[in-house]
Amino acid sequence: MSGKTDPRAAGDGTTSRTRLDRGRGALGPALELVHTGRAPTRAVLTAELGVTRATAGAVAAELEALGLIRVDARPGAAAGSQGRPSHRLAVAEDGPVALAAQVHADGFRAALVGLGGRIVATAPGCEDVDADPAKVLVSVVEAGAELLRTTGRRCVGAGLAVPSAVAEPEGLALNPLHLAWPAGAPVRRIFEECVRAAGITGPAFAANDVNLAALAEHRHGAGRGARDLLCVATGHRGVGGALVLDGRLHTGSSGLALEVGHLTVNPEGRPCHCGSRGCLDVEADPLALLTAAGRDPGPEVSLLQQANDLLRNHYGDPAVRAAAEALVDRLGLGLAGLVNILNPDRIILGGLHGTLLDTDPERLRAVVADRSLWGQSGSVPILACTLDHNSLVGAAELAWQPVLDDPLAALA
């Protein structure tokens, strides 16, 4: 064999390196396109990035080398298609994961979430939430660390969802009204310390659970494709809201925007934990439905499950129907006010609100249309959230964001 170098091979190598160098700035945008399902093929990726096919190929190959995506070079042509089929792109099923944790009034849960918002593994949820946030977060992080040991997955970071506004930049849970935690608990610092103590690498984040649900739904669920997305949800207790503008969460100057649970929708209504009266938080959550229907909440399952079961299995009961209609009217009034202020192009509802929408969709849409200037045009779709455990998925999105921003630096 000759010691000479084939000039064609050298030229091809130089060209490949040049293409990759040009495309390094596109690695993050390319990964986000695959992550959110907006680039299922290399041809779509090329068009979305506005680069040459060769550069898109180099970018996809680099992401595959990092273990983040898979490139199927022989997908086979679809029936009736013409020409050479484009390579298919998908997230790597055996790739890295993010540790996601969620705490709510009825317990906490840990999970591992891969790219694409796919939940890889979950730990059994705990129903006991201690009044000391440090004890709770130690337990949930230990559960997540055990999942990492069991699966052997690489972890890119950790995210925490909590039922409270989280003030920035300190990461303080200002109003964990439905937990026994002290107001202003430094949940992000505590979570970071627990993550480090467990030997988990990568950054750690904390945010409000409904904000994270909205982020997850916007990237992977019912909010995909919306430009200005309003999310309102009631989980185990209370009501929360979130707004995604141009693909980014709108959290305000200090992380406290969209506290919609404290909109007054019934001036003569129930006293609220915030000191006001008739807020959405106490007029349109699971406890409000059970109370209005004359049901005594039991300790066996969560309030959310009890309320959902009541709507799904006993809606023919006049007392249940009347209670549901009252909640729909209160919720619709609140949504109408938000539509007038925010003018979203889509509304998604989570938790019990999604069940109310499924149970009587026309009534809720009629209330919003009648009470809002923009809603009267019928141009604001109202949909139910579609992701299971969307707050957990959203918590993972926090940990994935540095990778989406700069895959090479984040995985170095």
Side-chain angles (χ1 to χ4, degrees):
M1 182 176 176
S2 164
K4 294 181 180 179
T5 302
D6 185 343
R8 292 173 300 173
D12 287 346
T14 301
T15 302
S16 296
R17 285 193 297 273
T18 300
R19 288 168 181 160
L20 181 57
D21 289 341
R22 289 174 179 169
R24 286 198 187 280
L27 284 175
L31 181 60
E32 183 164 341
L33 287 167
V34 179
H35 171 60
T36 56
R38 289 179 290 152
T41 68
R42 201 169 70 182
V44 176
L45 182 68
T46 301
E48 289 287 338
L49 293 177
V51 298
T52 66
R53 186 168 63 181
T55 298
V59 168
E62 178 72 1
L63 292 175
E64 186 173 36
L66 291 170
L68 297 171
I69 73 170
R70 291 289 177 263
V71 181
D72 183 356
R74 296 179 297 171
S81 64
Q82 297 180 353
R84 186 175 63 182
S86 179
H87 294 30
R88 295 192 182 278
L89 307 178
V91 298
E93 292 187 358
D94 58 350
V97 295
L99 168 60
Q102 182 181 11
V103 179
H104 51 71
D106 292 313
F108 59 82
R109 181 180 293 273
L112 304 182
V113 184
L115 282 168
R118 184 173 58 88
I119 295 179
V120 173
T122 58
C126 177
E127 297 179 359
D128 181 26
V129 180
D130 196 275
D132 182 354
K135 290 182 179 179
V136 179
L137 297 184
V138 164
S139 296
V140 73
V141 170
E142 286 179 348
E146 179 60 27
L147 288 176
L148 289 169
R149 286 189 291 269
T150 301
T151 61
R153 294 295 189 99
R154 178 181 182 180
C155 185
V156 300
L160 170 67
V162 293
S164 167
V166 177
E168 297 296 345
E170 298 87 356
L172 308 179
L174 287 190
N175 59 341
L177 298 177
H178 304 292
L179 302 176
W181 292 1
V187 290
R188 187 170 64 214
R189 177 180 60 78
I190 297 172
F191 185 59
E192 287 175 340
E193 292 171 352
C194 293
V195 167
R196 298 290 165 265
I200 299 171
T201 58
F205 305 89
N208 170 261
D209 53 2
V210 179
N211 276 351
L212 297 181
L215 181 61
E217 292 284 346
H218 185 265
R219 290 182 174 179
H220 309 292
R224 185 182 290 172
R227 179 180 176 182
D228 299 327
L229 176 69
L230 172 63
C231 175
V232 175
T234 177
H236 298 263
R237 291 291 303 275
V239 175
L243 184 66
V244 178
L245 298 176
D246 289 327
R248 298 287 179 180
L249 275 173
H250 174 71
T251 56
S253 61
S254 57
L256 308 181
L258 270 290
E259 278 293 304
V260 305
H262 301 290
L263 289 174
T264 300
V265 293
N266 182 13
E268 306 303 321
R270 300 177 178 88
C272 183
H273 312 277
C274 71
S276 186
R277 179 179 290 276
C279 297
L280 268 179
D281 215 52
V282 292
E283 295 287 336
D285 78 340
L287 183 59
L289 176 68
L290 294 169
T291 301
R295 299 312 204 259
D296 292 325
E300 298 82 9
V301 295
S302 71
L303 292 173
L304 176 60
Q305 184 175 335
Q306 292 177 63
N308 281 335
D309 289 345
L310 191 65
L311 287 177
R312 290 167 179 158
N313 301 323
H314 302 282
Y315 192 64
D317 183 324
V320 175
R321 181 183 290 270
E325 290 176 348
L327 253 72
V328 165
D329 291 347
R330 302 280 188 253
L331 174 61
L333 183 61
L335 291 177
L338 292 168
V339 167
N340 285 335
I341 296 169
L342 302 173
N343 189 26
D345 59 7
R346 191 179 310 172
I347 299 171
I348 57 172
L349 303 178
L352 178 63
H353 294 164
T355 309
L356 283 167
L357 178 64
D358 291 339
T359 302
D360 193 351
E362 296 311 315
R363 185 183 184 94
L364 179 58
R365 293 184 175 118
V367 173
V368 175
D370 289 345
R371 295 282 190 151
S372 63
L373 177 62
W374 307 116
Q376 289 175 10
S377 68
S379 61
V380 187
I382 304 176
L383 307 173
C385 292
T386 57
L387 298 178
D388 293 331
H389 307 299
N390 51 18
S391 292
L392 272 176
V393 174
E397 291 295 320
L398 293 179
W400 276 115
Q401 192 59 52
V403 182
L404 298 175
D405 290 338
D406 190 342
L408 285 174
L411 299 179

